[in-house]
Amino acid sequence: MSINISGYSAKNVTIGVLGSHSALEISYGARQEGLRNLVVSQKGREKTYATTYAARSVNGRDFGCVDEVLVLDTFKDILLPQIQQQMLDRHVIFVPHRSFEVYVCQDNYDVLFNQFPTPMFGNRAILAAEERNADRNQYFLLEKAGIPYPQQFTQADQIDRLVIVKVPESERKFERGFFFAHTPDDFRHKVEGMLDTGKLTEKELDEAVIEEFILGPTVNLNFFYSPLDKRLELLGTDTRRQTNLDGILRLPASQQMEIARNGMKPKFEEAGHIACTVLESMVEQIYELGERFVAAAAEEYAPGIIGPFALQCAIKSGPPKKELIVYDVSLRVPGSPGIKATPYSEYLWGEPVSIGRRIAMEVKEAMRRDQLGMVVT
């Protein structure tokens, strides 16, 4: 499928995004740079974009950031030929995020190549690598890049330390379920209970990843790679808030033990993000990880990384020194709009720059140079 951008210009381009995850972030960033935006929403979920944050002028003051909303019966209807034609007529450049992958791709990334002719900011070919069951997945790229990640166990009998088991949830396919185990028997006992209650199927168990649990604080390294200038930028850092884990961690140890005895288990449902910073002595190590990943991605998924990606890390204590261990990779817009509250983009640009605005800046610069084909696929 060919992508046609011949009629796209700075005067008519529209930044498009699915109405979930980070749609407000993308819309506001586009508006900051003078580009129109379009949010594609699902019926019943459009109020945030069509009303609360709709762009409007009241008594001479501007409010909101969403220029236009296209409401569909389901998110997946964005693949319908008539909807794609509407976006092409609007000269949309579409920005993918995790909700787009979950609701539209639904583990079938082929739709991006045979049903989505709208130009997409970034490299659509690399999005599938985020899925752990893909052939050349994120672990493959981390290995190729020589980036440390948690030790993995192919068999439960190999477990000799605390591990975290990552498996798709039966009840909520869009969530990645997690549970802990510290011995082979502990693993089997928990799996049997989940199979009996229907929280896990044999197929999902076959797709599970068993990996060492790294004891240390977590930090998401949110990067932006500009193919125009061949420059890697650290735009910000954050960490996650998760239910019900955050609540459990706030309890005294005695209460944690009590609820564990009563059968309550920690969950890892996303609830938000918190901006955080890292030690300045780690910045060089951070950029080295990002540069290695960009190089590996360029070899395996030409043209490589375009725009935002994130390496989600745990900081492992020394000796000899603290080390960043990457336990997850995001190959699209990360989920935290608060990263501009950290100082790293300001160190580069002289002012805080969000992911949404940085995307719009890259699109504008590409059009100014007549190189839009370098940032869209």
Side-chain angles (χ1 to χ4, degrees):
M1 182 181 66
S2 60
I3 302 298
N4 184 3
I5 55 173
S6 59
Y8 281 53
S9 71
K11 293 182 180 179
N12 65 24
V13 76
T14 297
I15 302 298
V17 63
L18 203 72
S20 182
H21 192 273
S22 46
L24 292 173
E25 162 72 11
I26 302 303
S27 298
Y28 181 60
R31 194 170 177 85
Q32 281 183 294
E33 291 297 311
L35 301 177
R36 284 192 59 79
N37 64 68
L38 168 70
V39 173
V40 181
S41 185
Q42 180 170 288
K43 188 177 296 182
R45 299 181 59 166
E46 73 273 18
K47 184 177 179 181
T48 296
Y49 312 104
T51 304
T52 306
Y53 291 103
R56 60 206 183 274
S57 181
V58 179
N59 297 324
R61 290 192 64 183
D62 291 334
F63 292 86
C65 61
V66 179
D67 292 321
E68 187 178 3
V69 180
L70 176 61
V71 181
L72 308 177
D73 289 335
T74 70
F75 281 129
K76 195 155 188 176
D77 285 347
I78 196 174
L79 298 174
L80 295 173
Q82 62 268 33
I83 302 302
Q84 285 293 305
Q85 189 58 54
Q86 286 187 46
M87 293 204 293
L88 290 169
D89 292 343
R90 288 174 164 91
H91 298 96
V92 166
I93 295 174
F94 198 85
V95 180
H97 50 51
R98 181 59 186 169
S99 290
F100 173 78
E101 295 173 357
V102 169
Y103 294 124
V104 177
C105 298
Q106 297 180 353
D107 287 335
N108 177 19
Y109 287 81
D110 288 345
V111 299
L112 299 182
F113 300 93
N114 53 40
Q115 294 178 254
F116 204 92
T118 299
M120 184 174 290
F121 182 83
N123 181 0
R124 68 178 72 197
I126 203 172
L127 294 178
E130 191 167 326
E131 306 300 336
R132 292 182 171 86
N133 58 0
D135 290 335
R136 294 178 296 150
N137 60 16
Q138 56 177 280
Y139 298 117
F140 175 88
L141 291 173
L142 292 171
E143 182 74 27
K144 185 177 182 66
I147 293 174
Y149 59 93
Q151 180 177 341
Q152 295 185 353
F153 301 89
T154 57
Q155 302 292 333
D157 288 340
Q158 298 172 339
I159 297 173
D160 62 356
R161 68 199 69 185
L162 181 63
V163 299
I164 184 168
V165 184
K166 301 179 178 180
V167 61
E169 287 194 8
S170 295
E171 298 174 354
R172 301 170 306 149
K173 295 295 185 183
F174 57 89
E175 288 285 355
R176 296 159 175 160
F178 303 91
F179 66 90
F180 294 101
H182 63 276
T183 65
D185 287 343
D186 185 33
F187 175 89
R188 283 187 282 268
H189 173 74
K190 289 175 178 175
V191 165
E192 288 170 3
M194 295 174 73
L195 289 171
D196 289 343
T197 58
K199 293 182 178 180
L200 181 67
T201 66
E202 291 287 354
K203 180 179 182 298
E204 290 157 353
L205 182 59
D206 289 341
E207 298 176 358
V209 174
I210 307 171
E211 66 181 35
E212 175 187 9
F213 183 75
I214 305 298
L215 294 172
T218 60
V219 59
N220 300 329
L221 310 176
N222 300 289
F223 293 103
F224 188 97
Y225 182 74
S226 168
L228 298 176
D229 296 320
K230 296 180 173 55
R231 183 178 63 240
L232 179 69
E233 303 170 10
L234 177 66
L235 288 188
T237 49
D238 70 287
T239 189
R240 296 179 174 187
R241 301 197 72 180
Q242 297 167 312
T243 64
N244 57 0
L245 179 63
D246 276 32
I248 292 174
L249 293 175
R250 288 187 174 88
L251 293 173
S254 58
Q255 290 300 308
Q256 292 182 15
M257 295 173 66
E258 182 65 28
I259 63 174
R261 283 192 291 268
N262 290 332
M264 181 179 288
K265 296 178 173 61
K267 296 183 179 180
F268 293 81
E269 300 170 337
E270 294 298 314
H273 296 76
I274 306 171
C276 65
T277 58
V278 294
L279 294 176
E280 193 165 310
S281 60
M282 301 188 73
V283 170
E284 186 172 332
Q285 182 184 166
I286 287 170
Y287 267 90
E288 182 179 350
L289 293 182
E291 288 162 357
R292 287 184 188 176
F293 193 84
V294 167
E299 290 186 20
E300 293 296 329
Y301 288 94
I305 298 288
I306 300 171
F309 71 101
L311 301 180
Q312 300 172 24
C313 305
I315 303 175
K316 187 177 182 180
S317 62
K321 64 177 181 178
K322 291 182 290 294
E323 184 180 18
L324 290 161
I325 309 295
V326 178
Y327 63 85
D328 206 356
V329 178
S330 298
L331 293 165
R332 33 67 195 174
V333 175
S336 174
I339 63 172
K340 69 177 181 181
T342 60
Y344 304 105
S345 65
E346 190 168 9
Y347 292 157
L348 287 170
W349 292 97
E351 60 180 324
V353 175
S354 67
I355 289 285
R357 185 181 178 192
R358 185 64 188 88
I359 290 171
M361 290 164 61
E362 192 79 354
V363 168
K364 283 180 60 178
E365 182 63 15
M367 289 188 290
R368 187 187 71 81
R369 300 186 192 185
D370 196 24
Q371 294 181 326
L372 187 57
M374 290 188 67
V375 301
V376 301
T377 58

